[in-house]
Amino acid sequence: KGKSTFLDLAIGLVEPSSGSIYIDNKKQSLNNSKWQEKIGFVSQNVFITNETLKKNIAFGYEDEEIDNQKINECLKICNLIDFVKNLENGINTKLSDLGTNISGGQKQRIGIARALYVSPKILILDEPTNNLDENNESLIIQNLINLKDITLIVKTNKNNLKEHFDK
């Protein structure tokens, strides 16, 4: 109990109703843009726009601002390279609103790639692999664990994932 509340507190969406949050033994308020800029968050329900795959990953960036090398790194981490190779226009293929032309697992992996694109210091994943097969799940979690300079917070009910994390 309280996992969703913990995530809301960690993201800075809500303040504690009692008590305080401490990071490195310093009292913190996380409801501020300086903290939230450090966070990449992937919810259980990833929102897909009627834009290209590239723009869905580099969400909110103008075309001239998008770093294709960074897009490719995110695609590799999320095991989306083969998916992209099978698309008619690669990363420039347009996705339908709400992602109706892709699978639930592809939506989740695009959501993780989107969160990674902003180079977060903290990556928060809320049931990130519910729609993934075991092979994709294992590969992506291992790729995320191997990332340098990033803290992973993963909410999951899957026992096989829990063994990868401290608590």
Side-chain angles (χ1 to χ4, degrees):
K1 288 192 177 219
K3 294 186 294 278
S4 294
T5 303
F6 173 77
L7 292 185
D8 289 346
L9 288 164
I11 295 167
L13 295 176
V14 297
E15 291 286 337
S17 54
S18 64
S20 301
I21 296 172
Y22 287 82
I23 299 174
D24 296 330
N25 295 320
K26 291 165 104 175
K27 189 175 178 179
Q28 302 287 329
S29 170
L30 305 183
N31 188 359
N32 64 73
S33 60
K34 188 175 179 182
W35 171 257
Q36 291 166 344
E37 287 170 359
K38 297 177 184 183
I39 293 176
F41 175 71
V42 182
S43 73
Q44 293 179 45
N45 300 310
V46 174
F47 182 75
I48 300 294
T49 64
N50 189 23
E51 272 292 349
T52 63
L53 173 61
K54 177 165 84 170
K55 294 275 288 187
N56 267 282
I57 292 172
F59 189 76
Y61 289 83
E62 297 299 324
D63 285 330
E64 62 275 2
E65 298 175 306
I66 297 174
D67 181 341
N68 285 331
Q69 183 177 341
K70 199 170 185 181
I71 292 280
N72 286 328
E73 289 169 15
C74 294
L75 291 170
K76 284 178 192 161
I77 292 166
C78 296
N79 199 27
L80 283 165
I81 297 294
D82 288 340
F83 167 68
V84 171
K85 284 180 183 174
N86 290 319
L87 294 174
E88 186 176 332
N89 296 312
I91 61 173
N92 295 309
T93 300
K94 201 167 197 176
L95 303 178
S96 66
D97 263 339
L98 305 178
T100 55
N101 61 340
I102 59 176
S103 73
Q106 290 160 341
K107 278 171 67 170
Q108 279 189 312
R109 290 185 285 159
I110 291 167
I112 296 169
R114 179 186 295 158
L116 289 172
Y117 186 80
V118 298
S119 302
K121 294 289 180 202
I122 301 165
L123 181 60
I124 300 175
L125 306 170
D126 184 357
E127 300 288 354
T129 60
N130 280 355
N131 291 311
L132 298 181
D133 60 76
E134 279 188 40
N135 290 339
N136 268 319
E137 177 182 75
S138 179
L139 179 68
I140 293 166
I141 292 297
Q142 200 54 58
N143 287 345
L144 293 173
I145 289 169
N146 290 337
L147 292 174
K148 303 278 186 258
D149 300 322
I150 191 168
T151 299
L152 285 177
I153 299 174
V154 179
K155 174 188 161 192
T156 185
N157 291 312
K158 292 184 169 185
N159 287 327
N160 63 317
L161 290 184
K162 291 177 185 177
E163 67 191 37
H164 294 287
F165 303 100
D166 308 68
K167 297 178 179 151

